Amino acid sequence: MKSEPLVLGIETSCDETAVGIVRGRVLLANVISTSVEEHAKFGGVVPEIASRAHLEAMQPTIAGALKIAGVALSDIDAFGVTAGPGLIGALVVGTSAASGLSLATGKPLFGVNHLSSHVAVDILDNESALRPSIGLLVSGGHSSILRIGDMVSDVETLGATIDDAAGEAFDKIARILELDFPGGPAIDRLAKSGDATAIDFPRGLTRPSDNPWDFSFSGLKTAVSRYIQSAPSAVKADIAASFQEAVVDVLVTKALAAAASCGIDRLVIAGGVAANSRLRELATARATAQGVELRIPPMALCTDNGAMVAAMTSLALSAGAAPSAVGLGADSTSGLERAIWR
Amino acid sequence: MNTLVIDTSTDRTTAGLVSDGVLVVEKFHDDPLGHSEVLPKLVAEILLSNPVIDSVVIGMGPGPFTGLRAGIAFGRAFAFARNIPWRGVSSLDAIASEINSTDFIVATDARRKEYFYARFTDSARVDGPHVALRQVVEELGIEMHTGFPTALALSALQGSIAQPLYIRRPDAYPAPKGVTFRPATAMDAVALHALEKVIYSGEDPWSLAQFKEELGAGDRYYLIALFEGEVIGYAGVMVAGDVCDILTLSVLSAHRRKGIAREMLKRMIDWSRNRKVDAIMLEMLVGNREAEPLYLSQGFRKIAERADYYGPGKPATIMRKELK
Ligand SMILES: [Zn+2]
């Protein structure tokens, strides 16, 4: 019996240079090299610095993943790479390196969608098949609600942020509150000692006339800055808790409304913001009440990683999808019109 | 011995095969974008008839960042996967090696109205590589050549360069440790005025009353940079109808060239963008060589000059960046 295909996936869409190796649905290695410390110096991801770091880290990260998986590059049956969406200069390092590996070995290459990969990672080391799901992606780079009928052929974006990403909002508010970067963990920590009901911050795009699945966080950001200006002696922890509650409430409400509307009983939350303790708490409580199965992959598979790209590629292989053409192009603004690059 | 040669440092993506010093095949495609898409196709064509490769030579630039990295990432990964050696060489040196002259400059397009360039005398690089405004390079008055590196010239160069020749610093680079930024309040007027007098001594500094009025007025955003508790820079922007206008951007001379002005400018741009205006504008003393590259790098373009704007004989350049 032929064993499951061995797949190596590369992810470079933002500031993590990441390589994952899977055999079928079994995770063998998930190595991440991040330039987050360099970005911390000026409170956000700087594209050019991320791209330079990707080039530096690419080979050591591939070599590290091979070593951990205990396989040789010549054993790999297929390569996968994030082809979009993401920072264009960062994506190009990944697609170029992946093209080099594919041409050198003669093994197929699949350019895959970063957003769907975030959900696809849930197949790894998991008994249950990937049933139709709603994906809630929340990170510094994206805030979207996806509907996944079939991972390879039926995925659509129901809604996305029209301005800041959820994680970005956390970073910006952390900056205003003079907390550390990245802002998510800092606010989560501070919020634990604050009163989430102290200030009633606005919930973006929740009027009946708004697109029910889109997000907006810039109004909330402005409201928080105004509040701090008008009440300079306010308790920071209360501001952090109330801000966090406003973000998390909207995320969970919209994702579960999408599940109900699509008749789907499974919700996958992924992206760095999935680490937020209040988001987990509220999502668990409300999903249970609605009879929706909630899945949050382990954190190492939740933030940007290479295993999710390998998992998505593995799904493409088992579905019999054709590999991407030689010289696949990175697409920084790609939506979900393509899960696999032609 | 078959050497695969790759260069993506110019608008031309080049891939070639050189065997023991003889060119077997060379393929190229001219397009300032799309190096990452073109290169694998060119290499795939070469591999069809020449599957055995013994080493890789990669042009390391200087060149525009994204295209340059596409070639280096591809070439290194290819060598890694085949378990063969790779070697980086200077793309400018390769162009120079095919020019028959004794004293000249080789310049390639660095975008943003700039050139990457180096000077060669008697077949040796004597200065550079550097990056500078095209006008500055042209004013050197030295015989100037442009061109593309060929596979044969690249493979004939000796030595090995491990890192890309970026030359230019990243668009944003770390502000020195310990610099923080915060919005200015009316309480900061005295400190800003004191700093203004130091930075603009003899150049008509704003008065304390002006600072108080500015910091209290609406539709404005003032930002200050602090280092070890001391104010070392400040910037301000205001909404003026459909555009935002940068009112000041000043950094104490001891703290310049560390990315502080750049960071403040970016925040001014972000603030203006959130105001949904059409564009952001600023005025600059004509010929301000220190400020001009910063503004150009952030997407500002010169749209007009105003005579005597900063006083008799001191014209201003008006610059504008579209935000829509
Ligand atoms: Zn992501």
Side-chain angles (χ1 to χ4, degrees):
Chain A
M1 194 183 86
K2 192 181 179 304
S3 65
E4 295 277 327
L6 192 60
V7 180
L8 183 146
I10 297 176
E11 150 65 33
T12 61
S13 68
C14 191
D15 59 345
E16 325 270 12
T17 311
V19 176
I21 298 175
V22 305
R23 188 183 288 286
R25 295 172 59 161
V26 178
L27 177 65
L28 301 183
N30 185 33
V31 177
I32 298 173
S33 153
T34 177
S35 55
V36 70
E37 272 182 24
E38 288 179 62
H39 301 296
K41 289 176 194 155
F42 31 110
V45 173
V46 179
E48 176 55 23
I49 288 177
S51 305
R52 289 185 182 194
H54 284 313
L55 184 61
E56 290 310 304
M58 183 56 69
Q59 258 154 274
T61 312
I62 296 173
L66 289 168
K67 194 167 176 218
I68 288 171
V71 298
L73 193 69
S74 53
D75 298 331
I76 303 291
D77 297 304
F79 296 96
V81 66
T82 301
L87 302 168
I88 188 68
L91 290 167
V92 161
V93 176
T95 57
S96 298
S99 295
L101 296 175
S102 168
L103 280 177
T105 56
K107 298 293 169 55
L109 170 63
F110 293 79
V112 304
N113 189 298
H114 179 85
L115 302 180
S116 45
S117 299
H118 264 305
V119 179
V121 78
D122 194 46
I123 66 161
L124 296 178
D125 300 329
N126 175 5
E127 302 286 296
S128 75
L130 199 57
R131 286 186 288 119
S133 310
I134 292 295
L136 173 65
L137 300 189
V138 276
S139 73
H142 27 254
S143 311
S144 334
I145 298 183
L146 317 180
R147 183 192 61 78
I148 299 114
D150 175 272
M151 206 56 229
V152 177
S153 60
D154 179 25
V155 190
E156 73 174 313
T157 303
L158 295 177
T161 180
I162 60 166
D163 39 57
D164 295 341
E168 215 178 344
F170 274 95
D171 285 339
K172 286 182 177 171
I173 297 305
R175 202 192 265 173
I176 293 172
L177 292 174
E178 294 173 325
L179 305 176
D180 295 337
F181 174 88
I187 287 183
D188 197 354
R189 267 194 308 277
L190 183 60
K192 286 199 194 330
S193 59
D195 176 3
T197 62
I199 311 148
D200 188 20
F201 285 129
R203 269 60 170 165
L205 298 185
T206 48
R207 287 169 308 187
S209 58
D210 295 323
N211 178 334
W213 320 131
D214 278 345
F215 298 111
S216 168
F217 298 109
S218 81
L220 172 59
K221 188 185 67 194
T222 312
V224 176
S225 330
R226 282 223 189 93
Y227 183 84
I228 291 170
Q229 272 166 9
S230 68
S233 57
V235 180
K236 267 191 188 182
D238 288 348
I239 298 172
S242 301
F243 157 78
Q244 175 175 277
E245 193 67 18
V247 174
V248 164
D249 180 27
V250 171
L251 293 176
V252 175
T253 302
K254 291 200 170 204
L256 285 172
S261 160
C262 299
I264 287 175
D265 63 355
R266 189 166 187 275
L267 171 64
V268 181
I269 302 183
V273 179
N276 184 278
S277 60
R278 180 61 186 148
L279 174 63
R280 287 169 171 254
E281 197 175 82
L282 199 65
T284 306
R286 291 198 192 159
T288 308
Q290 194 175 315
V292 168
E293 180 197 4
L294 174 67
R295 294 210 46 99
I296 303 178
M299 267 333 283
L301 300 180
C302 223
T303 48
D304 291 351
N305 65 84
M308 69 191 213
V309 178
M312 184 68 215
T313 305
S314 208
L315 281 169
L317 279 172
S318 54
S324 305
V326 172
L328 67 101
D331 180 353
S332 62
T333 58
S334 169
L336 269 168
E337 60 281 6
R338 48 182 177 182
I340 310 286
W341 261 238
R342 293 277 147 250
Chain B
M1 293 292 278
N2 285 343
T3 302
L4 177 66
V5 187
I6 288 165
D7 191 281
T8 54
S9 67
T10 66
D11 287 355
R12 173 167 293 183
T13 299
T14 296
L17 187 77
V18 176
S19 185
D20 299 320
V22 178
L23 181 69
V24 178
V25 57
E26 177 160 16
K27 303 202 174 266
F28 64 85
H29 181 80
D30 290 337
D31 180 357
L33 303 170
H35 295 91
S36 69
E37 292 155 51
V38 169
L39 180 63
K41 293 183 184 122
L42 301 183
V43 172
E45 288 174 34
I46 290 171
L47 291 174
L48 270 183
S49 41
N50 308 275
V52 179
I53 304 291
D54 303 297
S55 70
V56 179
V57 166
I58 308 169
M60 302 297 271
F65 301 152
T66 300
L68 179 63
R69 267 192 298 267
I72 299 171
F74 177 95
R76 281 196 201 168
F78 187 94
F80 175 79
R82 287 278 177 105
N83 198 18
I84 55 177
W86 70 273
R87 190 162 72 80
V89 296
S90 158
S91 307
L92 279 180
D93 289 4
I95 299 172
S97 71
E98 296 189 319
I99 291 166
N100 200 359
S101 186
T102 51
D103 184 18
F104 61 93
I105 279 175
V106 172
T108 57
D109 188 1
R111 315 250 167 90
R112 304 178 194 166
K113 299 180 181 166
E114 291 183 322
Y115 279 133
F116 293 116
Y117 72 100
R119 185 172 182 176
F120 298 83
T121 305
D122 298 326
S123 307
R125 172 151 43 89
V126 293
D127 187 27
H130 300 298
V131 65
L133 286 171
R134 284 182 204 179
Q135 194 189 340
V136 172
V137 180
E138 281 152 11
E139 280 169 3
L140 292 172
I142 300 164
E143 179 185 324
M144 200 175 101
H145 295 264
T146 59
F148 306 108
T150 66
L152 197 57
L154 288 158
S155 72
L157 291 174
Q158 301 299 307
S160 180
I161 301 168
Q163 298 300 325
L165 298 169
Y166 289 125
I167 311 299
R168 198 185 259 149
R169 285 177 298 177
D171 287 349
Y173 40 92
K177 260 205 150 49
V179 176
T180 55
F181 300 89
R182 67 165 170 80
T185 70
M187 305 289 284
D188 296 312
V190 172
L192 295 194
H193 178 237
L195 192 58
E196 169 96 358
K197 283 192 293 185
V198 174
I199 296 175
Y200 297 101
S201 62
E203 285 179 61
D204 193 16
W206 284 2
S207 65
L208 180 59
Q210 272 173 297
F211 270 108
K212 283 186 173 162
E213 196 183 316
E214 278 293 320
L215 295 176
D219 271 344
R220 280 163 173 73
Y221 173 54
Y222 274 86
L223 184 70
I224 65 179
L226 296 136
F227 182 68
E228 293 178 348
E230 293 287 316
V231 179
I232 56 162
Y234 51 94
V237 61
M238 70 177 281
V239 180
D242 295 338
V243 301
C244 277
D245 198 12
I246 291 188
L247 300 163
T248 180
L249 179 61
S250 312
V251 177
L252 205 56
S253 60
H255 293 276
R256 285 187 196 154
R257 307 209 59 77
K258 292 177 183 170
I260 298 169
R262 187 174 304 252
E263 180 63 29
M264 290 198 292
L265 180 60
K266 287 194 160 181
R267 293 182 186 210
M268 300 281 111
I269 294 169
D270 284 346
W271 184 86
S272 304
R273 192 173 272 129
N274 284 338
R275 288 310 180 96
K276 310 278 181 223
V277 293
D278 294 343
I280 179 166
M281 296 177 65
L282 59 84
E283 300 84 34
M284 172 193 80
L285 185 66
V286 168
N288 184 340
R289 283 280 160 89
E290 209 175 346
E292 189 177 315
L294 168 63
Y295 298 143
L296 289 173
S297 76
Q298 297 305 308
F300 284 86
R301 295 292 169 255
K302 294 180 199 175
I303 55 163
E305 273 197 17
R306 298 247 165 87
D308 302 331
Y309 184 89
Y310 292 105
K314 289 183 179 172
T317 301
I318 315 293
M319 302 185 84
R320 180 181 168 105
K321 174 187 169 72
E322 300 304 324
L323 294 178
K324 289 237 154 142

